[in-house]
Amino acid sequence: MNKKMVFYLLLMISANFLNSTELTQNIFDSAVELYQNKNYEQALLEFEKIRNEKVQNADLYYNIGNCHYRLQELGEAVLNYKIALKIDPTHQAARRNLRFVLTQTKDKQQLDHENRIFSFWQKIFNSMSINLLSLLSLIFFLLVILIIDLIILRYAGREKTAPIFIMIIAIIFLVIFATLTAIKYHEFRAMDEAVLLSPSAIGYSGPSAEFTRVFTIHEGMIFNVEKEQNGWSLIKLKNGLGGWIKKDNFRRVTF
Amino acid sequence: MKIKIFFITLLILLMFSHLAAEIDIQAYVDKTKIGTQDILKLTIEVSGNKAGSVPQPELPEIKNFVNRGVSTSSSSSYSIINGKMESQVTKSYIFRLQPQKAGNFIIPPISIQYKGKNHTTQPIKINVIQGSTEPAPPTSSRHQRREKPSASSSQKLSDNLFLKTIVNKRSVYKNEPLIVKYKLYSRYNISNLSFGEEPDFQGFWKDDIFIPKQVNFDRENYQGQLFSTMLMRSTALIPNEAGDLEIPSQELVVDIRTEPRSFFDFGSSKRYTIRSKSVKIKVKELPIQNRPVNFSNAVGQFQLDSDISSNVLKVGDSFTYTLKISGTGNLNQIDVPKLPDINNLRFLDPEISTSINNNKISGTKTIKYLVIAQEKGQFQLPAIKFTFFDTKSKSYRTLQTEIYDLSVAEGESNFIQSSAAQSIVQQEGTDISFIITKTELQNRTILVEKFLYWFIWFLFISTIPIVKIYAKEKNKLAANTDYLRQKKAKRILKKYLKQASRKAAATDPEFYTAVQNGLSNYLADKLAIARGSSTEELFQKLKENLSDENTYTELQKIFVKCDQARFMPGGFSKNDIRQDFEKIKNLLSKLSRIKGGKK
């Protein structure tokens, strides 16, 4: 009786799932066709329909970004590429396009770190997805457990240097990958990055227009949001400048 | 007499004292009337007892004269007067000056700075006439003998020794080459020849065709007189500006050996500088009328040839397309004909070589293109045009190459022959990448957020205690096999007791047999001694392990009773059976508490 219930449950879920994917897939194809016919506005509407179904797919956000770029909405384009990269940091096309679009914004921004060594590590880090990292940690954990089991079973009363040495190495790797997974997951769920969508915004030294003007940023600027207070947000730019801008000028990189 | 001697010594002393203090400088020439072909010797004499340390006087720029070099000589004389030695040194600098043209000139004063004092010579007036003031040396006997019939032979030097300028054209177009020759005519015995100053060919592009390496005379009858002639220089000139240009005169330095007059006279050598006459050339601008747009700057007479290495090709193959421009004219200054645009063929930068004949104005220019076929199909290599100005017909002419048909077949590979002319792919524009048209619209699963992922971690961890317990159990088994027996002992006892209790219920005398068997086996296993050991052995062992004396004696009693019941008929009462069973049960609960034999 139990088995039967599980079976029905599975059937129901899969049917539901299949049905919805087939539908969204159709919308996706029609949107691609619209894009190919250079009807970017309609294509964007169709893509957004799928997005509103809570589909978390990097390719989808990438395509939405492309539509926005074609419609000369640089801020939206940057935002959507950023989301695509957040979902899948290994998305090369999104990275390439983001880099290209950032050359067209009014404010000069760099996607890659200037320091070569740092940018090298960043590249490696970006090239590994969170799932890959979590799987790697799992594999090294399994290795550690296996070695412990082996020591218990076979090395009772014997010289244990060799297996313990291997185990220490495995533990080091485990710690590295587990840390990376944690960082990655934190980044993945972080809400602090945001993109300016209004043509320009003025940063003040306090949460009101009466304070001193600190800077002016333009559409497509990427920055971190630190806190919010009655309609104003304290943001921090990549170059270290901080200031308060109106909350409705930007949107957070999140899905 | 004494007075006379006194005066002379006084005079000399005065003179010397004067000389000792000063130096004397004077300038003089060998003659004041000379010809343009003669050389003036200007001597500057410095005298005084310290004249040796006077630096060589600097000759200032003398107008209309050219300095031909300097020679120095010095003489010194010593005299001892009143036991004192006095020295007198005279230093002479002889400058050889060559007048440039006829007229009255002045050699300016020459000054020397010595010990802060300025010493200056007097200016000298010189009268220069055309030709030479010197009597011309008699012409060579070789020539004299021949020309004896013609008595009108001139004795003037310029009639017997001259350099002639021969130009092949007096009127040319700009960029049209012409040849100028300098020819020496002489009726003297010439011992040495050398070029003077190099003339400045202003307005011309110059290339020497011929300069003799050794003296080699020909005979030539010139205006009724026999001359030794020699071509001194032949030069190709290409005028690069229009207007009246002058071909400058060439200077030649000639040494003439005079005929010995007597047996003791070996003759002497005399140096003359002769100069050719400059020649005026008219250079015409090329006509602007009818000048084609793609005029190649070529002036002269040319021919155009073309050649193609193969016209049946595959894609990626290359062939050589050769253009040859040959003829007379300014080949070095020709612009390479322009290629028409042909899309499906790639022309690499041409290799241009120019070979000029010895006469410097004719030759061949070869232009070789390496062409790569880039698409398959039938193509035409169009005619290439070359326009030049024909100096014969005095008009522009256009030559055309042949039209070649090419057939390009599908290539086996797109390999393009490597060549220095390969270019790096250039970026022509920037844009975003295209959208992704095919994707699986699935939500990305994040493993870290899944229960299963962490459950697998938990499973791994849980293997550790499981393995640990397993290993412990295994260790126990491995360490002591008796442990197994001890564990089994209880089961055996249970089995016998069950049997015994059934017998007890039936008050069967078999009861005692079952009890004895069961107890002895149980104790043997429990005490880890071999089964079937004698009762004495069993008790011996039991005594060692059992601390409670009471239990021991009770056990002994039961064993004795069992023996009696089994081997002595009527050795037991039926009532006893129940009692004994209760007794044994009590005993066993006590026995189970003893530890087994040695571990």
Side-chain angles (χ1 to χ4, degrees):
Chain A
M1 194 197 129
N2 236 337
K3 275 182 187 169
K4 248 186 184 173
M5 256 181 72
V6 171
F7 176 75
Y8 278 124
L9 205 74
L10 276 174
L11 201 74
M12 260 172 65
I13 291 167
S14 61
N16 192 17
F17 185 67
L18 279 175
N19 205 14
S20 74
T21 44
E22 207 174 308
L23 222 140
T24 48
Q25 204 75 54
N26 284 343
I27 302 173
F28 187 85
D29 290 343
S30 69
V32 167
E33 206 179 308
L34 283 165
Y35 185 94
Q36 275 166 340
N37 296 332
K38 303 196 173 175
N39 191 347
Y40 303 121
E41 242 164 293
Q42 283 300 317
L44 180 60
L45 286 176
E46 295 293 300
F47 280 131
E48 277 176 342
K49 258 187 216 169
I50 308 171
R51 189 190 62 190
N52 294 340
E53 296 282 311
K54 297 279 174 206
V55 173
Q56 290 171 15
N57 183 290
D59 291 343
L60 177 70
Y61 281 96
Y62 166 77
N63 285 358
I64 292 172
N66 270 12
C67 289
H68 281 299
Y69 175 74
R70 290 283 179 233
L71 297 169
Q72 284 303 310
E73 295 158 4
L74 294 188
E76 285 278 4
V78 170
L79 177 70
N80 282 288
Y81 289 141
K82 278 299 264 191
I83 295 172
L85 281 173
K86 194 162 194 180
I87 297 172
D88 180 8
T90 60
H91 204 288
Q92 287 308 317
R95 192 168 297 278
R96 202 163 44 236
N97 281 9
L98 177 58
R99 197 172 287 139
F100 176 72
V101 173
L102 285 185
T103 61
Q104 305 198 343
T105 55
K106 275 193 181 161
D107 299 314
K108 194 184 170 187
Q109 298 184 70
Q110 255 181 336
L111 188 57
D112 304 300
H113 209 274
E114 273 175 35
N115 186 321
R116 276 201 180 179
I117 298 164
F118 192 84
S119 111
F120 173 72
W121 286 113
Q122 199 179 35
K123 255 179 201 162
I124 291 182
F125 184 62
N126 283 339
S127 69
M128 288 189 285
S129 71
I130 179 165
N131 282 356
L132 178 71
L133 283 170
S134 51
L135 276 178
L136 282 172
S137 344
L138 189 63
I139 287 166
F140 279 100
F141 181 65
L142 175 63
L143 198 64
V144 171
I145 296 289
L146 280 179
I147 294 168
I148 291 174
D149 288 351
L150 198 73
I151 289 170
I152 292 170
L153 280 180
R154 297 259 171 239
Y155 284 83
R158 278 166 62 188
E159 176 69 33
K160 297 186 186 73
T161 319
I164 283 178
F165 179 70
I166 297 171
M167 190 176 74
I168 286 169
I169 290 173
I171 286 173
I172 290 170
F173 272 100
L174 171 64
V175 168
I176 290 172
F177 284 118
T179 317
L180 287 179
T181 311
I183 294 170
K184 202 104 183 174
Y185 184 70
H186 179 74
E187 225 172 63
F188 180 67
R189 284 294 175 207
M191 300 266 282
D192 58 342
E193 251 191 330
V195 176
L196 193 74
L197 296 182
S198 62
S200 70
I202 298 160
Y204 296 96
S205 62
S208 156
E210 287 154 20
F211 288 93
T212 319
R213 267 175 82 147
V214 183
F215 53 75
T216 308
I217 52 175
H218 299 93
E219 192 178 359
M221 190 74 184
I222 303 167
F223 49 81
N224 285 351
V225 182
E226 299 203 325
K227 63 175 151 182
E228 287 185 356
Q229 198 175 311
N230 42 19
W232 290 77
S233 297
L234 174 62
I235 64 159
K236 198 175 176 196
L237 303 183
K238 288 268 148 71
N239 63 6
L241 274 180
W244 293 82
I245 65 167
K246 269 195 185 144
K247 198 186 156 191
D248 44 9
N249 283 337
F250 63 86
R251 199 177 310 149
R252 288 172 188 265
V253 181
T254 179
F255 44 88
Chain B
M1 180 67 184
K2 265 198 172 176
I3 289 163
K4 210 176 181 179
I5 293 167
F6 172 72
F7 268 113
I8 289 167
T9 26
L10 193 71
L11 207 74
I12 291 169
L13 273 171
L14 276 171
M15 205 174 89
F16 267 103
S17 63
H18 168 75
L19 280 172
E22 300 241 338
I23 56 156
D24 196 27
I25 174 169
Q26 48 182 318
Y28 53 85
V29 292
D30 58 340
K31 48 197 165 181
T32 51
K33 188 178 177 179
I34 58 158
T36 48
Q37 287 172 347
D38 299 332
I39 280 174
L40 181 72
K41 277 183 187 165
L42 169 71
T43 311
I44 296 170
E45 213 175 79
V46 185
S47 53
N49 53 356
K50 291 271 164 55
S53 59
V54 177
Q56 179 174 338
E58 287 275 330
L59 198 67
E61 193 77 21
I62 304 171
K63 263 191 186 171
N64 303 313
F65 287 92
V66 175
N67 188 355
R68 290 268 177 239
V70 63
S71 56
T72 357
S73 71
S74 68
S75 63
S76 43
S77 60
Y78 302 93
S79 54
I80 298 164
I81 294 156
N82 289 349
K84 237 182 159 184
M85 194 176 81
E86 298 285 347
S87 67
Q88 160 90 8
V89 182
T90 309
K91 254 196 143 169
S92 324
Y93 301 95
I94 302 151
F95 293 95
R96 287 144 47 80
L97 298 177
Q98 168 86 50
Q100 297 290 91
K101 58 182 183 188
N104 283 319
F105 308 119
I106 288 171
I107 293 179
I110 293 148
S111 56
I112 290 181
Q113 282 263 332
Y114 182 66
K115 291 199 169 163
K117 273 190 182 169
N118 227 357
H119 304 273
T120 313
T121 63
Q122 294 294 316
I124 305 159
K125 269 186 193 165
I126 304 288
N127 180 22
V128 183
I129 57 159
Q130 201 69 50
S132 175
T133 52
E134 307 234 343
T139 50
S140 162
S141 56
R142 209 151 31 107
H143 299 285
Q144 264 176 348
R145 233 175 278 131
R146 296 269 173 154
E147 38 99 17
K148 244 168 200 165
S150 68
S152 65
S153 81
S154 166
Q155 287 299 307
K156 250 176 100 184
L157 179 81
S158 56
D159 287 341
N160 294 325
L161 179 71
F162 53 90
L163 191 63
K164 218 178 150 194
T165 311
I166 305 157
V167 184
N168 67 342
K169 288 168 201 164
R170 292 280 172 148
S171 164
V172 293
Y173 283 99
K174 186 183 159 187
N175 282 337
E176 183 186 351
L178 60 102
I179 293 173
V180 62
K181 287 176 180 167
Y182 296 101
K183 201 168 178 184
L184 176 70
Y185 286 78
S186 165
R187 298 181 70 211
Y188 299 111
N189 268 341
I190 290 171
S191 63
N192 201 11
L193 277 172
S194 61
F195 284 109
E197 224 173 282
E198 171 68 18
D200 178 20
F201 292 96
Q202 212 176 9
F204 293 100
W205 180 85
K206 171 199 92 168
D207 196 358
D208 281 326
I209 300 165
F210 173 77
I211 286 172
K213 291 198 177 69
Q214 60 198 56
V215 180
N216 189 13
F217 287 101
D218 286 328
R219 285 152 171 273
E220 194 182 313
N221 196 333
Y222 179 73
Q223 290 176 350
Q225 282 183 314
L226 194 68
F227 281 87
S228 291
T229 65
M230 181 176 169
L231 181 63
M232 294 307 296
R233 185 178 191 175
S234 171
T235 303
L237 296 175
I238 296 175
N240 47 30
E241 53 193 57
D244 286 332
L245 293 183
E246 195 188 63
I247 294 176
S249 62
Q250 173 73 48
E251 225 176 34
L252 201 63
V253 180
V254 188
D255 287 346
I256 293 173
R257 200 162 50 227
T258 52
E259 223 41 32
R261 298 218 172 86
S262 66
F263 179 77
F264 297 104
D265 183 11
F266 299 105
S268 63
S269 194
K270 219 168 159 75
R271 179 163 285 193
Y272 296 94
T273 302
I274 57 169
R275 199 175 270 137
S276 71
K277 280 181 185 152
S278 61
V279 177
K280 283 243 157 75
I281 299 279
K282 203 177 163 166
V283 181
K284 293 175 278 186
E285 193 69 70
L286 292 173
I288 296 163
Q289 226 181 351
N290 300 329
R291 183 187 289 186
V293 188
N294 54 351
F295 175 56
S296 64
N297 271 334
V299 179
Q301 273 151 319
F302 298 99
Q303 271 187 318
L304 181 67
D305 288 306
S306 63
D307 185 39
I308 183 169
S309 66
S310 107
N311 55 5
V312 179
L313 308 147
K314 282 177 182 164
V315 172
D317 284 357
S318 63
F319 62 89
T320 322
Y321 182 50
T322 314
L323 287 178
K324 247 185 213 173
I325 301 165
S326 53
T328 309
N330 55 343
L331 275 166
N332 273 323
Q333 283 128 328
I334 289 178
D335 295 341
V336 173
K338 263 197 182 158
L339 285 175
D341 273 339
I342 307 164
N343 279 337
N344 9 52
L345 297 173
R346 183 157 153 240
F347 284 77
L348 303 183
D349 283 340
E351 187 188 307
I352 303 168
S353 59
T354 314
S355 76
I356 303 284
N357 295 347
N358 282 339
N359 66 6
K360 301 292 176 190
I361 54 165
S362 70
T364 309
K365 197 175 193 108
T366 313
I367 304 148
K368 269 188 185 173
Y369 291 96
L370 188 69
V371 190
I372 299 169
Q374 289 184 313
E375 275 174 49
K376 75 165 193 172
Q378 302 289 325
F379 307 119
Q380 236 174 26
L381 205 58
I384 287 168
K385 287 179 184 166
F386 171 66
T387 309
F388 68 98
F389 185 77
D390 191 342
T391 44
K392 239 180 204 168
S393 65
K394 298 192 188 338
S395 63
Y396 291 101
R397 268 181 66 190
T398 300
L399 299 176
Q400 283 196 354
T401 62
E402 263 180 79
I403 295 171
Y404 292 100
D405 285 316
L406 292 173
S407 97
V408 182
E410 191 72 67
E412 280 151 15
S413 68
N414 273 335
F415 171 72
I416 291 177
Q417 287 200 340
S418 73
S419 139
Q422 271 186 327
S423 62
I424 294 160
V425 178
Q426 297 287 318
Q427 185 167 22
E428 283 156 14
T430 53
D431 196 6
I432 54 169
S433 306
F434 194 63
I435 54 164
I436 287 158
T437 54
K438 284 251 149 39
T439 182
E440 295 265 322
L441 279 175
Q442 280 177 9
N443 279 358
R444 228 175 109 88
T445 40
I446 304 298
L447 288 179
V448 185
E449 290 177 343
K450 293 287 162 210
F451 171 73
L452 189 67
Y453 177 78
W454 295 110
F455 186 68
I456 292 171
W457 279 71
F458 172 72
L459 279 184
F460 288 166
I461 295 173
S462 61
T463 59
I464 294 179
I466 292 167
V467 167
K468 188 112 190 171
I469 291 163
Y470 173 73
K472 205 175 177 182
E473 291 294 299
K474 218 179 149 190
N475 275 347
K476 267 185 191 165
L477 290 176
N480 189 6
T481 44
D482 295 336
Y483 177 74
L484 207 75
R485 275 174 73 194
Q486 285 173 355
K487 282 197 90 175
K488 265 186 188 164
K490 250 180 200 166
R491 259 188 303 169
I492 293 162
L493 184 68
K494 262 182 193 164
K495 202 175 88 187
Y496 280 108
L497 276 183
K498 233 177 187 178
Q499 215 182 342
S501 69
R502 249 184 283 134
K503 301 266 161 82
T507 59
D508 193 344
E510 288 286 307
F511 163 77
Y512 289 103
T513 323
V515 166
Q516 200 182 20
N517 278 339
L519 270 178
S520 60
N521 278 345
Y522 167 72
L523 287 172
D525 280 350
K526 187 100 186 171
L527 297 171
I529 53 170
R531 279 193 194 182
S533 313
S534 68
T535 319
E536 284 77 29
E537 267 181 289
L538 200 74
F539 278 94
Q540 184 78 28
K541 195 86 185 170
L542 197 61
K543 207 176 185 175
E544 285 167 24
N545 283 287
L546 208 62
S547 49
D548 190 1
E549 283 288 320
N550 230 357
T551 327
Y552 178 71
T553 44
E554 288 281 319
L555 256 178
Q556 245 175 342
K557 271 183 194 164
I558 286 191
F559 267 82
V560 171
K561 208 164 190 178
C562 284
D563 281 344
Q564 282 175 347
R566 281 169 69 190
F567 304 116
M568 286 160 60
F572 70 99
S573 64
K574 280 185 182 177
N575 295 336
D576 282 353
I577 295 180
R578 283 227 179 106
Q579 241 177 10
D580 286 336
F581 187 58
E582 289 305 315
K583 233 186 232 169
I584 289 164
K585 268 186 181 168
N586 272 336
L587 262 177
L588 281 176
S589 69
K590 281 178 186 162
L591 271 176
S592 66
R593 265 176 242 141
I594 48 162
K595 286 270 176 245
K598 59 164 191 292
K599 261 251 160 170

